[in-house]
Amino acid sequence: MNIQLIPKLLVSDADAAITFYTQALEAQVNLRVADDRGVVNHAELALDSVAFALAQSVEEWGWNDPRSVGGSPVLIMLTVQNPDATADRMVQHGAELVIPVEDRPYGKRQGRVRDPFGHLWVIGGELRDQRPR
């Protein structure tokens, strides 16, 4: 048996989130399941070989999105080839830049973005300045 861990992001508007992630992160939708009222209770998306899921928040099920509980207690760490371009694209599609993408003293190029649904993403990649010190 293979172990698999797929985070499921709860959002206030699942269809808007699918649109955001496909445009801003170039994610591919692998599955979208809605109930008879059209509420998306499960969608699976892929970023290259990485998968994540999302669903509409449903208060009576205890499924609360970050904005409904005052923020996200989780940082989603995404390593990409060009973190600057990824963060910029997220912001162009409605995310908020929380911490600019910069070379960090701990050896990574990272920044933080809050998506339109309240989830916090640490966007990182290789250092821009690779010269020996």
Side-chain angles (χ1 to χ4, degrees), residues 31-100:
L31 177 66
R32 180 187 176 279
V33 179
D35 64 17
D36 55 357
R37 298 171 305 173
V39 175
V40 176
N41 50 39
H42 186 76
E44 293 179 8
L45 293 89
L47 300 171
D48 198 16
S49 63
V50 176
F52 68 101
L54 64 84
Q56 183 78 31
S57 57
V58 181
E59 187 177 343
E60 55 270 16
W61 293 355
W63 287 16
N64 300 304
D65 62 271
R67 298 221 187 269
S68 71
V69 295
S72 177
V74 175
L75 293 174
I76 304 164
M77 299 183 72
L78 178 62
T79 301
V80 295
Q81 190 166 17
N82 188 337
D84 298 81
T86 299
D88 288 347
R89 198 169 48 251
M90 291 177 79
V91 169
Q92 289 170 1
H93 289 283
E96 170 193 355
L97 184 64
V98 177
I99 298 174

Side-chain angles (χ1 to χ4, degrees), residues 10-29:
L10 300 175
V11 296
S12 57
D13 184 336
D15 284 322
I18 290 169
T19 298
F20 173 78
Y21 297 128
T22 57
Q23 292 177 349
L25 295 177
E26 299 176 344
Q28 300 297 311
V29 178

